[in-house]
Amino acid sequence: MKRLGILVCLLMVLAPALVPVQGSSKAQSSDAIIWSFAGGDISIINPVLATDQASFYAVAAIYAPLFIADPNTGLPTPGLATWEVSDDGLQYTFTLKEGVVWSDGVPITANDVKFTYDAVMSDKVESVRKADFAAIASLEVVDDRTFVVTLKEPNCTIWGNAFASLYPLPAHKYAADFSDFMTSDFNFTPDIGSGPYLYEERSPGEYVRFKANPLYYLGEPRIPTFILRILADPATVNQALLTDTIDYAFMYPDQLEQLGAPEKFNTWLYPNNNAPMLLMNNQDSENPQPAYDENGNPNQLVPNKFFGDVRVRQAVAMGYDKAALTLTLGENSGSVQLSGPVTPAFYSTYDMSSVEPWPYDPERAKQLLQEAGWVDTDGDGVREKDGVKFEVNLYYSPLIDLWANIAAVAQDQLGQIGIKINVVQMEWSAFLSEVLLPAKYDMAVVGFGGGTEVDGIAYNLLHSKNAIPNGGFNLASYVNPEMDRLLDMARTLPGCPVEERAELYRQIQEIARNDVPYDWTVSTTQVHVLNKRVTDAFIGQWDGGIPVTIHEWGLAQ
């Protein structure tokens, strides 16, 4: 299932002492599992409005989806609903399972699904899910348990995009006209839910506590309490695991190598469909605009004074050593340089071997900068053009060590070719709301997850219709009609033949490499670490957020 992955160090400062939940010396207890997220607090508990991974952990605990991605294959399996598909691939008839209810006993109905869809499409609601739902022509209620989704055209990735974003919300908790949808307290302290756990309490920046939902449609969880623990930064994660302050952590292989104590933990390692990137804004960061006006007509975006020229972006791509970054992820990480948005998680089906990543070639990078008019006329080591020094801020948040490593290597090695970079570290929620989502940056570092679909990264980051500051995930404001055409074609090929789609994604990868709308860095391996006191547990490759079998897990006594 799509877990919008806006998951996205110079040197990590000494971590502050961990503050145990409820003041105990160790947070573990016989009736609670403690899940960790490092770096940033949740921002909201509403699947329509959430944009960050911490918030999606909370969403996954509280809200049940219409379908469940099989943890091993990523293919859709029934969740709240079953479905049938018309022969032409345009109509999906969903039937909610009999007896599914909200935790207050009110039935979950097709009207809740319709309400959620209409909320996303309403002008009163600011949601990045609008782009996901663009493939849908209509959603109509047949009866309390049945609704029909009609697509504009057949769509090969509908499950990982529109349907994955269609978490039913309780219509009886909001105004029917969506007037309170953006501001309701229910978005932050929901008193009902449909998932395995229910909101109980929150200490901002520290933890969110959930209690088991006795009316969960798959059965009341065996573990009575679920705690989402917010850790200050990745440097605290291993300490928390070893001192029994948390039960679960997501990490990368280098961190696992440092953890030790293999007898204490179960681990699962999988290729990660995530693209860590060095972002270069294609448009003016002082006044970012959407790619299209309210009538759908193209806006004339003002090119970024530093990165509007593709030669500069190519120079950046060759100006620092990404092969060295793979070594920071651990000897057994399997990390390779990325050439574009299709990651190694899909290479067995979609062969990208013909698209080579940019080499580390600082001499060629210097030539390209020279050709683009950026020269060091005064000998101070910083290039200039038209009286403007090539000096930019590079923003990032220290959720992931790799992001900080990218920032540090880029600052050092790009500085050697005449680009002065000032690294600015920000708290995650501020980074999202003030810099990244509104596109008010020249350079930034972040990772983007693509969920279960091969185009989960490409479509979100590269399609021009998603170039909407604070309203879409085309974070670099990249506009290329040929890219749009290929992305749309790959999604809508009749019958979804893999070989034909693979050729289209190879072309997409090649353009994404050559245009450098983002500088794709290196692939990552996801590592899930779970204390062995948690019994009957399994975490699959496509388990996003909260594993689908968590209600079956227990705790050793």
Side-chain angles (χ1 to χ4, degrees):
M1 183 174 297
K2 181 182 179 183
R3 304 292 185 198
L4 299 175
I6 290 188
L7 225 194
V8 210
C9 302
L10 297 177
L11 285 174
M12 302 304 282
V13 297
L14 184 63
L18 295 172
V19 182
V21 177
Q22 291 189 326
S24 61
S25 60
K26 288 188 177 181
Q28 281 187 356
S29 69
S30 61
D31 66 351
I33 182 172
I34 304 174
W35 211 259
S36 71
F37 182 78
D41 200 358
I42 67 170
S43 58
I44 200 164
I45 311 177
N46 179 321
V48 166
L49 304 177
T51 58
D52 60 280
Q53 188 62 40
S55 296
F56 269 104
Y57 279 136
V59 165
I62 294 174
Y63 292 106
L66 294 173
F67 76 96
I68 295 169
D70 182 283
N72 293 311
T73 67
L75 297 175
T77 63
L80 285 176
T82 59
W83 57 87
E84 295 180 354
V85 186
S86 64
D87 291 340
D88 62 6
L90 290 177
Q91 284 197 334
Y92 290 71
T93 301
F94 288 86
T95 302
L96 292 169
K97 292 180 177 177
E98 188 171 0
V100 294
V101 296
W102 298 104
S103 58
D104 61 358
V106 174
I108 301 172
T109 72
N111 291 308
D112 292 315
V113 182
K114 172 70 169 171
F115 171 83
T116 305
Y117 171 77
D118 288 346
V120 172
M121 303 310 292
S122 170
D123 292 339
K124 297 178 182 178
V125 175
E126 297 178 6
S127 173
V128 295
R129 310 292 169 246
K130 282 182 168 62
D132 291 336
F133 289 175
I136 296 176
S138 66
L139 190 156
E140 300 298 332
V141 172
V142 177
D143 56 41
D144 281 352
R145 291 180 51 210
T146 311
F147 61 94
V148 177
V149 177
T150 302
L151 306 184
K152 295 176 181 177
E153 54 191 340
N155 191 305
C156 303
T157 63
I158 196 68
W159 290 104
N161 294 286
F163 291 166
S165 296
L166 195 56
Y167 275 84
L169 286 166
H172 62 292
K173 286 293 181 177
Y174 292 94
D177 64 355
F178 316 117
S179 58
D180 65 347
F181 195 88
M182 298 293 296
T183 58
S184 173
D185 289 343
F186 189 80
N187 294 333
F188 305 95
T189 56
D191 57 356
I192 67 168
S194 58
Y197 288 93
L198 304 172
Y199 177 87
E200 190 170 21
E201 68 170 344
R202 176 188 178 193
S203 177
E206 294 185 9
Y207 67 89
V208 186
R209 183 187 299 275
F210 306 85
K211 59 184 179 182
N213 179 2
L215 300 181
Y216 182 47
Y217 78 103
L218 292 177
E220 181 176 2
R222 292 168 57 196
I223 301 176
T225 301
F226 176 86
I227 297 170
L228 176 60
R229 182 69 180 276
I230 310 299
L231 299 181
D233 58 58
T236 67
V237 170
N238 284 5
Q239 177 192 355
L241 284 166
L242 292 170
T243 58
D244 296 333
T245 307
I246 59 175
D247 292 304
Y248 166 85
F250 173 93
M251 61 180 62
Y252 293 108
D254 60 320
Q255 195 172 348
L256 180 63
E257 291 175 6
Q258 299 164 14
L259 177 63
E263 73 285 349
K264 188 180 180 71
F265 306 104
N266 287 315
T267 57
W268 294 266
L269 286 77
Y270 302 106
N272 194 16
N273 186 28
N274 184 281
M277 305 166 294
L278 177 61
L279 284 70
M280 292 169 278
N281 204 338
N282 282 227
Q283 71 161 313
D284 178 20
S285 61
E286 295 182 4
N287 186 31
Q289 299 294 316
Y292 302 94
D293 64 23
E294 58 186 12
N295 297 316
N297 300 311
N299 282 325
Q300 294 299 315
L301 303 183
V302 177
N304 187 281
K305 61 186 176 184
F306 301 110
F307 303 113
D309 190 324
V310 67
R311 292 172 295 183
V312 174
R313 302 196 299 272
Q314 291 175 345
V316 169
M318 288 188 284
Y320 68 107
D321 189 359
K322 289 184 278 290
L325 289 171
T326 65
L327 302 179
T328 70
L329 294 173
E331 293 181 1
N332 301 312
S333 69
S335 178
V336 297
Q337 286 183 248
L338 295 176
S339 59
V342 179
T343 69
F346 294 100
Y347 282 0
S348 61
T349 304
Y350 299 92
D351 181 11
M352 297 293 137
S353 60
S354 65
V355 185
E356 294 286 338
W358 287 101
Y360 176 46
D361 190 344
E363 292 306 314
R364 177 57 180 151
K366 291 177 185 177
Q367 293 174 8
L368 286 171
L369 290 171
Q370 194 87 6
E371 292 172 12
W374 291 96
V375 295
D376 180 12
T377 57
D378 56 10
D380 66 350
V382 180
R383 296 174 182 269
E384 59 267 348
K385 179 181 179 180
D386 299 330
V388 177
K389 288 283 187 181
F390 205 140
E391 179 176 358
V392 297
N393 289 340
L394 187 159
Y395 298 90
Y396 85 103
S397 183
L399 267 70
I400 305 295
D401 284 351
L402 175 61
W403 299 354
N405 292 337
I406 293 169
V409 172
Q411 180 185 42
D412 176 35
Q413 295 182 340
L414 294 179
Q416 296 174 32
I417 64 171
I419 299 175
K420 183 177 181 180
I421 293 177
N422 306 308
V423 173
V424 181
Q425 178 180 307
M426 297 183 68
E427 186 272 329
W428 175 243
S429 60
F431 173 64
L432 280 180
S433 63
E434 298 173 15
V435 173
L436 190 66
L437 294 178
K440 292 184 177 179
Y441 70 90
D442 292 313
M443 296 187 87
V445 174
V446 78
F448 194 89
T452 61
E453 299 293 349
V454 64
D455 76 341
I457 296 171
Y459 203 90
N460 278 289
L461 291 179
L462 298 173
H463 202 292
S464 65
K465 72 179 181 183
N466 297 325
I468 309 170
N470 283 320
F473 283 130
N474 185 333
L475 304 171
S477 301
Y478 175 68
V479 178
N480 182 337
E482 176 64 7
M483 177 65 78
D484 292 349
R485 186 187 70 83
L486 290 169
L487 286 167
D488 289 335
M489 184 183 300
R491 278 196 165 187
T492 58
L493 273 179
C496 303
V498 172
E499 289 186 3
E500 292 182 38
R501 294 183 72 215
E503 171 56 24
L504 292 173
Y505 286 118
R506 189 202 61 76
Q507 294 178 47
I508 288 167
Q509 191 88 341
E510 187 169 27
I511 294 173
R513 184 261 192 198
N514 293 338
D515 274 4
V516 201
Y518 305 82
D519 188 24
W520 320 97
T521 60
V522 297
S523 68
T524 58
T525 296
Q526 56 180 311
V527 181
H528 303 274
V529 179
L530 186 66
N531 193 297
K532 287 184 177 179
R533 82 183 189 103
V534 183
T535 62
D536 305 312
F538 172 76
I539 301 175
Q541 178 176 357
W542 301 108
D543 261 322
I546 307 302
V548 299
T549 59
I550 196 169
H551 62 289
E552 300 173 352
W553 297 6
L555 293 173
Q557 300 301 315

